[in-house]
Amino acid sequence: MILPIYIYGQPVLRKVSEDITADYPDLKQLIANMYETLTASEGVGLAAPQIGLNIRLAVIDLDVLSEDLPEYKDFRRTYINPHIVEIDEEAPKKTMEEGCLSLPGIHENVTRSTRIRVKYMDEDFQEHDEWVEGYLARVMQHEFDHLDAKMFIDRISPLRKQLIKNKLKALLQGRYRCSYRTKAVRK
């Protein structure tokens, strides 16, 4: 089932998410719904707060990029209770344009580390502790920020944030267009 994406201004996007256990109700179905929603909205990542749930769950599907980035062919992963435990301070930082399904129409340059260490559980609740590099590290940082009540606009300069103030205000007022189902703040 395709779920609505919660848009900037929804309180759920600014609450820190809680870890879950293997007995979380209908978890497999929720994960399937998140992938279906992600595909329908043409994104590469989706965190549970973006569908209104304050739980530490995110899905990432980079297969759509595999034509340009062949290393991501068939890359589709679920991250349960993910945490970034270390950022490689020696690794270079990279600035790239980011967008977000919860911020339709807004794209800004964000600087992030190119290498991070993450701990998480997969769909079978198997623990993983690994170093991640490159584009996947960027997507993980973006999605896991959602779980910590942050959005990419929190990582841009005050000047850039001032320059997009009217776009953010329009989102708060429900004035935006996008091709996927959304849930905006009530006017």
Side-chain angles (χ1 to χ4, degrees), residues 4 14 58 74 105 162:
R14 293 303 192 176
D74 299 323
Q162 185 64 31

Side-chain angles (χ1 to χ4, degrees), residues 17-34:
S17 297
E18 302 285 329
D19 283 353
I20 60 172
T21 57
D23 61 355
Y24 187 85
D26 301 318
L27 182 59
K28 294 277 189 206
Q29 186 59 54
L30 173 60
I31 292 168
N33 290 347
M34 286 179 71

